[in-house]
Amino acid sequence: MRKFSFLRIVLLLVGLFGVICFLLPLFIYGIINIGNITGFFVFLCITLYGMKMPAVHRFLKKVWQKRSGKYILSVLSVFIVLALGIATVISVNMVRIVTQEPPKNATVIVLGAKVQGERPSLILQERLDAAYDYLQKNQQSVCILSGGMGSDENISEAECMYQYLIAKGVDSKRLYKEDQSTSTQENLAFSKELIQQYSLDSTIVIVTNEFHEYRAVTIATSLDMEAYAVPAETLWWLFPTYYVRELYGIVYEYIR
Protein backbone atom coordinates (compact mmCIF):
# COMPACT_ATOMS: atom_id res chain seq x y z
CA MET A 1 0.00 0.00 0.00
CA ARG A 2 2.82 2.39 0.89
CA LYS A 3 4.54 1.63 -2.41
CA PHE A 4 1.31 2.33 -4.30
CA SER A 5 0.81 5.65 -2.46
CA PHE A 6 4.42 6.63 -3.13
CA LEU A 7 3.95 5.91 -6.86
CA ARG A 8 0.89 8.16 -6.99
CA ILE A 9 2.80 10.97 -5.27
CA VAL A 10 5.67 10.61 -7.75
CA LEU A 11 3.26 10.68 -10.70
CA LEU A 12 1.54 13.78 -9.33
CA LEU A 13 4.84 15.62 -8.81
CA VAL A 14 6.20 14.64 -12.22
CA GLY A 15 2.92 15.53 -13.92
CA LEU A 16 2.59 18.92 -12.25
CA PHE A 17 6.23 19.78 -12.93
CA GLY A 18 5.77 18.87 -16.61
CA VAL A 19 2.57 20.90 -16.90
CA ILE A 20 4.34 23.95 -15.44
CA CYS A 21 7.36 23.52 -17.75
CA PHE A 22 5.18 23.45 -20.85
CA LEU A 23 3.04 26.38 -19.70
CA LEU A 24 5.95 28.71 -18.85
CA PRO A 25 6.76 29.60 -22.50
CA LEU A 26 3.10 30.53 -23.01
CA PHE A 27 2.81 32.69 -19.90
CA ILE A 28 6.21 34.39 -20.18
CA TYR A 29 6.63 34.87 -23.94
CA GLY A 30 3.23 33.98 -25.39
CA ILE A 31 4.77 30.97 -27.18
CA ILE A 32 2.25 28.34 -28.19
CA ASN A 33 3.04 25.58 -30.66
CA ILE A 34 2.63 21.86 -31.15
CA GLY A 35 5.48 21.28 -28.69
CA ASN A 36 3.94 22.78 -25.58
CA ILE A 37 0.42 21.69 -26.57
CA THR A 38 1.60 18.06 -26.75
CA GLY A 39 3.68 18.32 -23.60
CA PHE A 40 0.89 19.96 -21.64
CA PHE A 41 -1.59 17.26 -22.69
CA VAL A 42 0.77 14.38 -21.87
CA PHE A 43 1.72 15.66 -18.42
CA LEU A 44 -1.87 16.63 -17.64
CA CYS A 45 -2.80 13.00 -18.31
CA ILE A 46 0.01 11.85 -15.99
CA THR A 47 -1.25 14.23 -13.29
CA LEU A 48 -4.84 13.03 -13.62
CA TYR A 49 -3.68 9.42 -13.58
CA GLY A 50 -1.82 10.04 -10.33
CA MET A 51 -4.92 11.65 -8.84
CA LYS A 52 -7.41 9.02 -9.99
CA MET A 53 -5.29 5.90 -10.32
CA PRO A 54 -7.74 3.40 -8.73
CA ALA A 55 -10.67 4.73 -10.77
CA VAL A 56 -8.56 4.63 -13.97
CA HIS A 57 -7.59 1.01 -13.30
CA ARG A 58 -11.22 0.02 -12.76
CA PHE A 59 -12.24 1.76 -15.98
CA LEU A 60 -9.49 0.08 -18.02
CA LYS A 61 -10.42 -3.31 -16.59
CA LYS A 62 -14.01 -2.84 -17.74
CA VAL A 63 -12.90 -1.69 -21.21
CA TRP A 64 -10.54 -4.69 -21.53
CA GLN A 65 -13.38 -7.10 -20.91
CA LYS A 66 -15.00 -6.07 -24.18
CA ARG A 67 -13.66 -7.23 -27.55
CA SER A 68 -13.66 -3.74 -29.01
CA GLY A 69 -12.03 -2.47 -25.82
CA LYS A 70 -9.17 -4.96 -26.18
CA TYR A 71 -8.62 -3.77 -29.76
CA ILE A 72 -8.64 -0.08 -28.82
CA LEU A 73 -6.31 -0.52 -25.84
CA SER A 74 -3.95 -2.74 -27.86
CA VAL A 75 -3.72 -0.20 -30.68
CA LEU A 76 -3.21 2.61 -28.18
CA SER A 77 -0.45 0.65 -26.43
CA VAL A 78 1.34 -0.04 -29.71
CA PHE A 79 1.10 3.64 -30.64
CA ILE A 80 2.56 4.76 -27.30
CA VAL A 81 5.43 2.25 -27.49
CA LEU A 82 6.16 3.23 -31.10
CA ALA A 83 6.11 6.95 -30.25
CA LEU A 84 8.46 6.43 -27.31
CA GLY A 85 10.77 4.33 -29.46
CA ILE A 86 10.95 6.95 -32.19
CA ALA A 87 11.54 9.71 -29.63
CA THR A 88 14.34 7.67 -28.06
CA VAL A 89 16.11 7.03 -31.37
CA ILE A 90 15.85 10.71 -32.37
CA SER A 91 17.09 11.84 -28.95
CA VAL A 92 20.13 9.57 -29.15
CA ASN A 93 20.98 11.04 -32.56
CA MET A 94 20.49 14.58 -31.21
CA VAL A 95 22.99 13.89 -28.43
CA ARG A 96 25.44 12.25 -30.83
CA ILE A 97 25.46 15.28 -33.15
CA VAL A 98 25.91 17.95 -30.48
CA THR A 99 28.65 16.09 -28.60
CA GLN A 100 30.96 15.76 -31.62
CA GLU A 101 33.92 18.14 -31.61
CA PRO A 102 33.53 20.72 -34.42
CA PRO A 103 36.49 21.45 -36.71
CA LYS A 104 38.47 24.66 -36.32
CA ASN A 105 38.18 27.62 -38.71
CA ALA A 106 35.24 26.21 -40.65
CA THR A 107 32.62 28.30 -42.42
CA VAL A 108 29.93 29.19 -39.90
CA ILE A 109 26.24 29.13 -40.85
CA VAL A 110 23.89 30.67 -38.30
CA LEU A 111 20.28 29.60 -38.81
CA GLY A 112 17.77 32.38 -38.33
CA ALA A 113 14.92 32.52 -35.84
CA LYS A 114 12.21 35.00 -34.98
CA VAL A 115 13.05 38.70 -34.89
CA GLN A 116 11.07 40.93 -32.53
CA GLY A 117 10.84 44.21 -34.38
CA GLU A 118 14.53 44.71 -35.09
CA ARG A 119 15.88 42.77 -32.13
CA PRO A 120 16.72 39.06 -31.95
CA SER A 121 14.37 36.84 -30.00
CA LEU A 122 15.82 34.94 -27.05
CA ILE A 123 16.31 31.82 -29.20
CA LEU A 124 18.10 33.82 -31.91
CA GLN A 125 20.27 35.61 -29.36
CA GLU A 126 21.37 32.26 -27.97
CA ARG A 127 22.47 31.22 -31.46
CA LEU A 128 24.30 34.49 -32.08
CA ASP A 129 26.19 34.28 -28.80
CA ALA A 130 27.30 30.72 -29.67
CA ALA A 131 28.41 31.92 -33.13
CA TYR A 132 30.30 34.84 -31.59
CA ASP A 133 32.18 32.51 -29.23
CA TYR A 134 33.19 30.25 -32.14
CA LEU A 135 34.28 33.20 -34.28
CA GLN A 136 36.39 34.58 -31.43
CA LYS A 137 38.18 31.25 -31.04
CA ASN A 138 38.57 30.72 -34.80
CA GLN A 139 39.78 33.95 -36.31
CA GLN A 140 40.06 32.57 -39.85
CA SER A 141 36.39 31.61 -39.98
CA VAL A 142 33.78 33.58 -41.86
CA CYS A 143 30.08 33.47 -41.08
CA ILE A 144 26.91 33.22 -43.16
CA LEU A 145 23.84 34.69 -41.48
CA SER A 146 20.85 32.92 -42.94
CA GLY A 147 17.23 34.00 -42.58
CA GLY A 148 14.61 35.96 -44.49
CA MET A 149 12.01 38.42 -43.22
CA GLY A 150 8.69 37.24 -41.80
CA SER A 151 5.43 39.13 -42.18
CA ASP A 152 5.65 40.32 -38.55
CA GLU A 153 9.32 41.34 -38.69
CA ASN A 154 10.67 44.81 -39.51
CA ILE A 155 13.97 43.55 -40.91
CA SER A 156 15.27 40.23 -42.16
CA GLU A 157 16.69 37.74 -39.70
CA ALA A 158 20.01 37.98 -41.56
CA GLU A 159 20.12 41.77 -41.11
CA CYS A 160 19.22 41.48 -37.44
CA MET A 161 22.00 38.94 -36.90
CA TYR A 162 24.45 41.12 -38.82
CA GLN A 163 23.70 44.15 -36.64
CA TYR A 164 23.99 42.10 -33.45
CA LEU A 165 27.41 40.64 -34.31
CA ILE A 166 28.75 43.97 -35.60
CA ALA A 167 27.74 45.55 -32.29
CA LYS A 168 29.73 42.84 -30.48
CA GLY A 169 32.83 43.73 -32.50
CA VAL A 170 32.89 41.13 -35.29
CA ASP A 171 34.56 42.45 -38.47
CA SER A 172 31.94 43.01 -41.18
CA LYS A 173 34.32 41.43 -43.72
CA ARG A 174 33.77 38.11 -41.98
CA LEU A 175 29.97 38.25 -42.33
CA TYR A 176 27.79 37.27 -45.29
CA LYS A 177 24.02 37.80 -45.34
CA GLU A 178 21.59 35.31 -46.86
CA ASP A 179 18.19 36.98 -46.49
CA GLN A 180 15.84 35.00 -48.74
CA SER A 181 15.34 31.70 -46.91
CA THR A 182 12.15 30.76 -45.08
CA SER A 183 12.98 27.23 -43.86
CA THR A 184 15.92 25.16 -42.63
CA GLN A 185 16.15 23.50 -46.04
CA GLU A 186 16.42 26.91 -47.74
CA ASN A 187 18.81 28.21 -45.07
CA LEU A 188 21.32 25.56 -45.99
CA ALA A 189 20.67 25.37 -49.74
CA PHE A 190 21.02 29.14 -50.20
CA SER A 191 24.04 29.24 -47.89
CA LYS A 192 25.68 26.56 -50.01
CA GLU A 193 25.23 28.84 -53.03
CA LEU A 194 27.04 31.65 -51.18
CA ILE A 195 29.86 29.28 -50.24
CA GLN A 196 30.32 28.38 -53.90
CA GLN A 197 29.91 31.98 -55.11
CA TYR A 198 32.59 33.36 -52.77
CA SER A 199 34.80 30.23 -52.74
CA LEU A 200 34.49 29.81 -48.98
CA ASP A 201 35.67 26.78 -47.04
CA SER A 202 33.20 23.99 -47.84
CA THR A 203 33.49 22.48 -44.36
CA ILE A 204 30.73 24.08 -42.31
CA VAL A 205 29.64 24.34 -38.71
CA ILE A 206 25.94 24.99 -38.19
CA VAL A 207 25.00 27.22 -35.30
CA THR A 208 21.50 26.61 -34.00
CA ASN A 209 19.95 25.43 -30.75
CA GLU A 210 20.89 21.96 -29.59
CA PHE A 211 17.43 20.51 -30.21
CA HIS A 212 17.61 21.66 -33.87
CA GLU A 213 21.15 20.50 -34.71
CA TYR A 214 20.34 16.92 -35.71
CA ARG A 215 17.77 17.94 -38.31
CA ALA A 216 19.96 20.77 -39.60
CA VAL A 217 23.05 18.57 -39.98
CA THR A 218 20.95 15.83 -41.61
CA ILE A 219 19.58 18.28 -44.18
CA ALA A 220 23.06 19.68 -44.84
CA THR A 221 24.41 16.17 -45.40
CA SER A 222 21.61 15.50 -47.91
CA LEU A 223 22.85 18.60 -49.77
CA ASP A 224 26.37 17.07 -49.95
CA MET A 225 27.77 19.45 -47.34
CA GLU A 226 30.34 18.40 -44.75
CA ALA A 227 28.53 19.67 -41.67
CA TYR A 228 29.19 19.77 -37.93
CA ALA A 229 27.33 21.30 -35.01
CA VAL A 230 28.07 24.28 -32.79
CA PRO A 231 25.02 24.14 -30.53
CA ALA A 232 23.51 27.08 -28.69
CA GLU A 233 22.30 26.30 -25.19
CA THR A 234 18.55 26.75 -24.72
CA LEU A 235 17.10 27.97 -21.43
CA TRP A 236 15.86 24.97 -19.42
CA TRP A 237 12.23 26.07 -19.34
CA LEU A 238 12.12 26.67 -23.10
CA PHE A 239 13.92 23.46 -24.05
CA PRO A 240 11.03 20.97 -23.47
CA THR A 241 8.63 22.90 -25.71
CA TYR A 242 11.08 23.23 -28.59
CA TYR A 243 12.42 19.70 -28.13
CA VAL A 244 8.94 18.18 -28.54
CA ARG A 245 8.18 20.43 -31.50
CA GLU A 246 11.45 19.35 -33.09
CA LEU A 247 10.47 15.68 -32.75
CA TYR A 248 7.49 16.42 -34.99
CA GLY A 249 9.76 18.29 -37.42
CA ILE A 250 12.20 15.40 -37.72
CA VAL A 251 9.44 12.84 -38.27
CA TYR A 252 8.02 15.12 -40.97
CA GLU A 253 11.43 15.27 -42.69
CA TYR A 254 11.56 11.47 -42.71
CA ILE A 255 8.10 10.90 -44.22
CA ARG A 256 7.77 13.78 -46.68
Side-chain angles (χ1 to χ4, degrees):
M1 185 66 179
R2 289 180 180 178
K3 184 177 181 181
F4 178 75
S5 298
F6 176 74
L7 176 60
R8 292 182 67 181
I9 291 172
V10 170
L11 288 172
L12 278 169
L13 292 175
V14 170
L16 289 172
F17 180 75
V19 166
I20 292 170
C21 283
F22 284 100
L23 284 178
L24 281 175
L26 173 62
F27 289 140
I28 296 177
Y29 281 108
I31 297 170
I32 182 167
N33 57 43
I34 196 171
N36 53 0
I37 291 173
T38 300
F40 172 78
F41 176 76
V42 169
F43 281 95
L44 179 61
C45 289
I46 292 173
T47 303
L48 294 175
Y49 177 55
M51 292 174 61
K52 301 291 185 179
M53 183 181 287
V56 171
H57 287 176
R58 288 194 297 269
F59 172 76
L60 292 177
K61 187 176 181 179
K62 287 182 180 180
V63 173
W64 185 257
Q65 290 173 350
K66 298 179 181 180
R67 185 175 180 180
S68 59
K70 285 185 174 68
Y71 176 77
I72 292 171
L73 291 178
S74 297
V75 171
L76 183 61
S77 298
V78 170
F79 174 79
I80 292 173
V81 170
L82 183 62
L84 290 174
I86 291 172
T88 299
V89 171
I90 292 174
S91 298
V92 169
N93 282 317
M94 285 179 170
V95 172
R96 175 179 58 82
I97 289 294
V98 300
T99 53
Q100 290 179 346
E101 186 70 22
K104 297 183 182 300
N105 295 307
T107 297
V108 180
I109 299 177
V110 187
L111 303 186
K114 186 175 179 59
V115 171
Q116 298 170 332
E118 296 187 3
R119 297 184 305 168
S121 62
L122 181 58
I123 288 287
L124 185 54
Q125 186 175 329
E126 289 168 344
R127 298 178 186 185
L128 290 168
D129 289 339
Y132 175 78
D133 289 343
Y134 183 88
L135 290 170
Q136 288 296 99
K137 296 174 183 176
N138 297 272
Q139 291 294 320
Q140 297 178 40
S141 286
V142 296
C143 180
I144 298 174
L145 309 168
S146 180
M149 184 171 70
S151 58
D152 58 344
E153 297 172 337
N154 295 338
I155 58 176
S156 70
E157 294 165 6
E159 179 61 29
C160 176
M161 292 189 281
Y162 179 84
Q163 293 179 9
Y164 185 90
L165 291 177
I166 289 292
K168 287 179 72 73
V170 178
D171 189 340
S172 62
K173 294 179 181 178
R174 301 176 69 189
L175 302 177
Y176 296 80
K177 288 184 282 187
E178 184 288 295
D179 59 5
Q180 299 301 311
S181 56
T182 60
S183 66
T184 303
Q185 180 79 28
E186 291 183 352
N187 285 145
L188 295 164
F190 295 167
S191 294
K192 182 179 181 180
E193 293 176 3
L194 285 181
I195 289 173
Q196 295 171 340
Q197 178 181 347
Y198 292 101
S199 299
L200 306 178
D201 190 336
S202 60
T203 300
I204 66 169
V205 292
I206 300 173
V207 180
T208 186
N209 292 76
E210 63 275 89
F211 58 81
H212 190 213
E213 286 285 10
Y214 172 57
R215 180 156 61 105
V217 170
T218 299
I219 292 172
T221 302
S222 73
L223 294 171
D224 296 323
M225 303 173 79
E226 184 183 352
Y228 301 86
V230 173
E233 185 175 349
T234 310
L235 285 176
W236 71 268
W237 53 270
L238 280 176
F239 181 85
T241 288
Y242 285 104
Y243 162 75
V244 175
R245 188 183 73 165
E246 187 64 16
L247 293 178
Y248 283 102
I250 293 170
V251 172
Y252 174 75
E253 289 290 338
Y254 282 147
I255 65 178
R256 72 177 184 142

PDB file of all heavy atoms in Angstrom, residues 225-244:
ATOM      1  N   MET A 225      26.925  18.524 -48.098  1.00  0.00           N
ATOM      2  CA  MET A 225      27.765  19.452 -47.342  1.00  0.00           C
ATOM      3  C   MET A 225      28.391  18.692 -46.172  1.00  0.00           C
ATOM      4  O   MET A 225      27.740  17.859 -45.544  1.00  0.00           O
ATOM      5  CB  MET A 225      26.937  20.630 -46.816  1.00  0.00           C
ATOM      6  CG  MET A 225      26.203  21.400 -47.902  1.00  0.00           C
ATOM      7  SD  MET A 225      25.063  22.655 -47.240  1.00  0.00           S
ATOM      8  CE  MET A 225      26.219  23.974 -46.844  1.00  0.00           C
ATOM      9  N   GLU A 226      29.662  18.983 -45.915  1.00  0.00           N
ATOM     10  CA  GLU A 226      30.336  18.403 -44.748  1.00  0.00           C
ATOM     11  C   GLU A 226      29.997  19.289 -43.553  1.00  0.00           C
ATOM     12  O   GLU A 226      30.532  20.384 -43.408  1.00  0.00           O
ATOM     13  CB  GLU A 226      31.843  18.333 -44.964  1.00  0.00           C
ATOM     14  CG  GLU A 226      32.577  17.652 -43.812  1.00  0.00           C
ATOM     15  CD  GLU A 226      34.089  17.640 -44.007  1.00  0.00           C
ATOM     16  OE1 GLU A 226      34.561  18.023 -45.094  1.00  0.00           O
ATOM     17  OE2 GLU A 226      34.796  17.244 -43.050  1.00  0.00           O
ATOM     18  N   ALA A 227      29.112  18.808 -42.699  1.00  0.00           N
ATOM     19  CA  ALA A 227      28.532  19.671 -41.669  1.00  0.00           C
ATOM     20  C   ALA A 227      28.773  19.135 -40.261  1.00  0.00           C
ATOM     21  O   ALA A 227      28.734  17.921 -40.021  1.00  0.00           O
ATOM     22  CB  ALA A 227      27.034  19.820 -41.897  1.00  0.00           C
ATOM     23  N   TYR A 228      29.022  20.073 -39.347  1.00  0.00           N
ATOM     24  CA  TYR A 228      29.187  19.771 -37.929  1.00  0.00           C
ATOM     25  C   TYR A 228      28.346  20.762 -37.125  1.00  0.00           C
ATOM     26  O   TYR A 228      27.844  21.746 -37.666  1.00  0.00           O
ATOM     27  CB  TYR A 228      30.666  19.871 -37.534  1.00  0.00           C
ATOM     28  CG  TYR A 228      31.562  18.930 -38.303  1.00  0.00           C
ATOM     29  CD1 TYR A 228      32.084  19.299 -39.542  1.00  0.00           C
ATOM     30  CD2 TYR A 228      31.877  17.673 -37.798  1.00  0.00           C
ATOM     31  CE1 TYR A 228      32.899  18.431 -40.262  1.00  0.00           C
ATOM     32  CE2 TYR A 228      32.703  16.796 -38.509  1.00  0.00           C
ATOM     33  CZ  TYR A 228      33.202  17.191 -39.739  1.00  0.00           C
ATOM     34  OH  TYR A 228      33.999  16.326 -40.445  1.00  0.00           O
ATOM     35  N   ALA A 229      28.218  20.489 -35.852  1.00  0.00           N
ATOM     36  CA  ALA A 229      27.333  21.296 -35.011  1.00  0.00           C
ATOM     37  C   ALA A 229      28.126  22.172 -34.041  1.00  0.00           C
ATOM     38  O   ALA A 229      29.114  21.735 -33.450  1.00  0.00           O
ATOM     39  CB  ALA A 229      26.390  20.393 -34.227  1.00  0.00           C
ATOM     40  N   VAL A 230      27.657  23.409 -33.890  1.00  0.00           N
ATOM     41  CA  VAL A 230      28.070  24.280 -32.788  1.00  0.00           C
ATOM     42  C   VAL A 230      26.776  24.689 -32.095  1.00  0.00           C
ATOM     43  O   VAL A 230      26.132  25.667 -32.488  1.00  0.00           O
ATOM     44  CB  VAL A 230      28.859  25.510 -33.276  1.00  0.00           C
ATOM     45  CG1 VAL A 230      29.125  26.468 -32.114  1.00  0.00           C
ATOM     46  CG2 VAL A 230      30.175  25.084 -33.911  1.00  0.00           C
ATOM     47  N   PRO A 231      26.353  23.921 -31.102  1.00  0.00           N
ATOM     48  CA  PRO A 231      25.022  24.141 -30.527  1.00  0.00           C
ATOM     49  C   PRO A 231      24.953  25.327 -29.582  1.00  0.00           C
ATOM     50  O   PRO A 231      25.869  25.592 -28.809  1.00  0.00           O
ATOM     51  CB  PRO A 231      24.760  22.830 -29.773  1.00  0.00           C
ATOM     52  CG  PRO A 231      26.121  22.335 -29.409  1.00  0.00           C
ATOM     53  CD  PRO A 231      27.031  22.739 -30.530  1.00  0.00           C
ATOM     54  N   ALA A 232      23.827  26.030 -29.657  1.00  0.00           N
ATOM     55  CA  ALA A 232      23.511  27.077 -28.688  1.00  0.00           C
ATOM     56  C   ALA A 232      22.706  26.454 -27.565  1.00  0.00           C
ATOM     57  O   ALA A 232      21.849  25.604 -27.800  1.00  0.00           O
ATOM     58  CB  ALA A 232      22.714  28.193 -29.366  1.00  0.00           C
ATOM     59  N   GLU A 233      22.978  26.872 -26.351  1.00  0.00           N
ATOM     60  CA  GLU A 233      22.302  26.297 -25.190  1.00  0.00           C
ATOM     61  C   GLU A 233      20.972  26.996 -24.951  1.00  0.00           C
ATOM     62  O   GLU A 233      20.919  28.217 -24.785  1.00  0.00           O
ATOM     63  CB  GLU A 233      23.190  26.413 -23.954  1.00  0.00           C
ATOM     64  CG  GLU A 233      22.619  25.734 -22.724  1.00  0.00           C
ATOM     65  CD  GLU A 233      23.574  25.763 -21.549  1.00  0.00           C
ATOM     66  OE1 GLU A 233      24.751  26.123 -21.736  1.00  0.00           O
ATOM     67  OE2 GLU A 233      23.125  25.437 -20.425  1.00  0.00           O
ATOM     68  N   THR A 234      19.896  26.228 -24.922  1.00  0.00           N
ATOM     69  CA  THR A 234      18.554  26.754 -24.720  1.00  0.00           C
ATOM     70  C   THR A 234      18.231  26.819 -23.232  1.00  0.00           C
ATOM     71  O   THR A 234      18.597  25.917 -22.473  1.00  0.00           O
ATOM     72  CB  THR A 234      17.514  25.853 -25.410  1.00  0.00           C
ATOM     73  OG1 THR A 234      17.923  25.607 -26.756  1.00  0.00           O
ATOM     74  CG2 THR A 234      16.134  26.495 -25.414  1.00  0.00           C
ATOM     75  N   LEU A 235      17.541  27.882 -22.815  1.00  0.00           N
ATOM     76  CA  LEU A 235      17.104  27.971 -21.427  1.00  0.00           C
ATOM     77  C   LEU A 235      16.268  26.740 -21.055  1.00  0.00           C
ATOM     78  O   LEU A 235      15.458  26.274 -21.852  1.00  0.00           O
ATOM     79  CB  LEU A 235      16.268  29.232 -21.212  1.00  0.00           C
ATOM     80  CG  LEU A 235      17.036  30.552 -21.154  1.00  0.00           C
ATOM     81  CD1 LEU A 235      16.073  31.718 -21.040  1.00  0.00           C
ATOM     82  CD2 LEU A 235      18.005  30.565 -19.972  1.00  0.00           C
ATOM     83  N   TRP A 236      16.455  26.242 -19.832  1.00  0.00           N
ATOM     84  CA  TRP A 236      15.856  24.968 -19.425  1.00  0.00           C
ATOM     85  C   TRP A 236      14.350  24.965 -19.578  1.00  0.00           C
ATOM     86  O   TRP A 236      13.762  23.950 -19.952  1.00  0.00           O
ATOM     87  CB  TRP A 236      16.255  24.632 -17.992  1.00  0.00           C
ATOM     88  CG  TRP A 236      15.611  25.513 -16.948  1.00  0.00           C
ATOM     89  CD1 TRP A 236      16.115  26.664 -16.422  1.00  0.00           C
ATOM     90  CD2 TRP A 236      14.335  25.319 -16.324  1.00  0.00           C
ATOM     91  NE1 TRP A 236      15.238  27.203 -15.510  1.00  0.00           N
ATOM     92  CE2 TRP A 236      14.134  26.397 -15.421  1.00  0.00           C
ATOM     93  CE3 TRP A 236      13.340  24.341 -16.436  1.00  0.00           C
ATOM     94  CZ2 TRP A 236      12.982  26.520 -14.650  1.00  0.00           C
ATOM     95  CZ3 TRP A 236      12.184  24.465 -15.659  1.00  0.00           C
ATOM     96  CH2 TRP A 236      12.018  25.546 -14.773  1.00  0.00           C
ATOM     97  N   TRP A 237      13.684  26.067 -19.311  1.00  0.00           N
ATOM     98  CA  TRP A 237      12.225  26.074 -19.345  1.00  0.00           C
ATOM     99  C   TRP A 237      11.674  26.272 -20.756  1.00  0.00           C
ATOM    100  O   TRP A 237      10.481  26.116 -20.983  1.00  0.00           O
ATOM    101  CB  TRP A 237      11.655  27.127 -18.388  1.00  0.00           C
ATOM    102  CG  TRP A 237      12.189  28.516 -18.575  1.00  0.00           C
ATOM    103  CD1 TRP A 237      13.278  29.074 -17.970  1.00  0.00           C
ATOM    104  CD2 TRP A 237      11.648  29.527 -19.424  1.00  0.00           C
ATOM    105  NE1 TRP A 237      13.457  30.370 -18.394  1.00  0.00           N
ATOM    106  CE2 TRP A 237      12.465  30.671 -19.287  1.00  0.00           C
ATOM    107  CE3 TRP A 237      10.554  29.580 -20.291  1.00  0.00           C
ATOM    108  CZ2 TRP A 237      12.231  31.846 -19.982  1.00  0.00           C
ATOM    109  CZ3 TRP A 237      10.317  30.748 -20.985  1.00  0.00           C
ATOM    110  CH2 TRP A 237      11.152  31.866 -20.824  1.00  0.00           C
ATOM    111  N   LEU A 238      12.531  26.617 -21.710  1.00  0.00           N
ATOM    112  CA  LEU A 238      12.124  26.673 -23.105  1.00  0.00           C
ATOM    113  C   LEU A 238      12.433  25.367 -23.829  1.00  0.00           C
ATOM    114  O   LEU A 238      11.760  25.015 -24.802  1.00  0.00           O
ATOM    115  CB  LEU A 238      12.845  27.820 -23.829  1.00  0.00           C
ATOM    116  CG  LEU A 238      12.300  29.225 -23.639  1.00  0.00           C
ATOM    117  CD1 LEU A 238      13.209  30.235 -24.348  1.00  0.00           C
ATOM    118  CD2 LEU A 238      10.875  29.344 -24.158  1.00  0.00           C
ATOM    119  N   PHE A 239      13.454  24.648 -23.347  1.00  0.00           N
ATOM    120  CA  PHE A 239      13.920  23.456 -24.052  1.00  0.00           C
ATOM    121  C   PHE A 239      12.830  22.409 -24.265  1.00  0.00           C
ATOM    122  O   PHE A 239      12.687  21.885 -25.381  1.00  0.00           O
ATOM    123  CB  PHE A 239      15.115  22.848 -23.318  1.00  0.00           C
ATOM    124  CG  PHE A 239      15.673  21.631 -23.999  1.00  0.00           C
ATOM    125  CD1 PHE A 239      16.604  21.764 -25.021  1.00  0.00           C
ATOM    126  CD2 PHE A 239      15.260  20.346 -23.653  1.00  0.00           C
ATOM    127  CE1 PHE A 239      17.110  20.650 -25.673  1.00  0.00           C
ATOM    128  CE2 PHE A 239      15.752  19.235 -24.295  1.00  0.00           C
ATOM    129  CZ  PHE A 239      16.680  19.391 -25.311  1.00  0.00           C
ATOM    130  N   PRO A 240      12.030  22.035 -23.242  1.00  0.00           N
ATOM    131  CA  PRO A 240      11.029  20.972 -23.470  1.00  0.00           C
ATOM    132  C   PRO A 240      10.067  21.284 -24.609  1.00  0.00           C
ATOM    133  O   PRO A 240       9.752  20.405 -25.424  1.00  0.00           O
ATOM    134  CB  PRO A 240      10.300  20.886 -22.115  1.00  0.00           C
ATOM    135  CG  PRO A 240      11.284  21.384 -21.130  1.00  0.00           C
ATOM    136  CD  PRO A 240      12.040  22.465 -21.835  1.00  0.00           C
ATOM    137  N   THR A 241       9.583  22.527 -24.663  1.00  0.00           N
ATOM    138  CA  THR A 241       8.634  22.904 -25.710  1.00  0.00           C
ATOM    139  C   THR A 241       9.246  22.758 -27.091  1.00  0.00           C
ATOM    140  O   THR A 241       8.646  22.165 -28.000  1.00  0.00           O
ATOM    141  CB  THR A 241       8.159  24.354 -25.498  1.00  0.00           C
ATOM    142  OG1 THR A 241       7.285  24.381 -24.360  1.00  0.00           O
ATOM    143  CG2 THR A 241       7.412  24.880 -26.714  1.00  0.00           C
ATOM    144  N   TYR A 242      10.453  23.281 -27.265  1.00  0.00           N
ATOM    145  CA  TYR A 242      11.083  23.228 -28.586  1.00  0.00           C
ATOM    146  C   TYR A 242      11.599  21.834 -28.919  1.00  0.00           C
ATOM    147  O   TYR A 242      11.632  21.447 -30.099  1.00  0.00           O
ATOM    148  CB  TYR A 242      12.215  24.259 -28.674  1.00  0.00           C
ATOM    149  CG  TYR A 242      11.693  25.667 -28.824  1.00  0.00           C
ATOM    150  CD1 TYR A 242      11.690  26.553 -27.762  1.00  0.00           C
ATOM    151  CD2 TYR A 242      11.169  26.099 -30.038  1.00  0.00           C
ATOM    152  CE1 TYR A 242      11.196  27.843 -27.895  1.00  0.00           C
ATOM    153  CE2 TYR A 242      10.675  27.394 -30.191  1.00  0.00           C
ATOM    154  CZ  TYR A 242      10.693  28.250 -29.122  1.00  0.00           C
ATOM    155  OH  TYR A 242      10.196  29.522 -29.255  1.00  0.00           O
ATOM    156  N   TYR A 243      11.983  21.074 -27.897  1.00  0.00           N
ATOM    157  CA  TYR A 243      12.418  19.696 -28.132  1.00  0.00           C
ATOM    158  C   TYR A 243      11.269  18.856 -28.689  1.00  0.00           C
ATOM    159  O   TYR A 243      11.437  18.134 -29.682  1.00  0.00           O
ATOM    160  CB  TYR A 243      12.939  19.097 -26.825  1.00  0.00           C
ATOM    161  CG  TYR A 243      13.017  17.591 -26.823  1.00  0.00           C
ATOM    162  CD1 TYR A 243      14.029  16.925 -27.512  1.00  0.00           C
ATOM    163  CD2 TYR A 243      12.072  16.835 -26.137  1.00  0.00           C
ATOM    164  CE1 TYR A 243      14.097  15.539 -27.509  1.00  0.00           C
ATOM    165  CE2 TYR A 243      12.135  15.450 -26.131  1.00  0.00           C
ATOM    166  CZ  TYR A 243      13.143  14.807 -26.824  1.00  0.00           C
ATOM    167  OH  TYR A 243      13.201  13.438 -26.824  1.00  0.00           O
ATOM    168  N   VAL A 244      10.092  18.956 -28.067  1.00  0.00           N
ATOM    169  CA  VAL A 244       8.945  18.176 -28.540  1.00  0.00           C
ATOM    170  C   VAL A 244       8.528  18.637 -29.937  1.00  0.00           C
ATOM    171  O   VAL A 244       8.227  17.810 -30.811  1.00  0.00           O
ATOM    172  CB  VAL A 244       7.762  18.293 -27.552  1.00  0.00           C
ATOM    173  CG1 VAL A 244       6.535  17.586 -28.121  1.00  0.00           C
ATOM    174  CG2 VAL A 244       8.129  17.687 -26.206  1.00  0.00           C
TER     175      VAL A 244
END
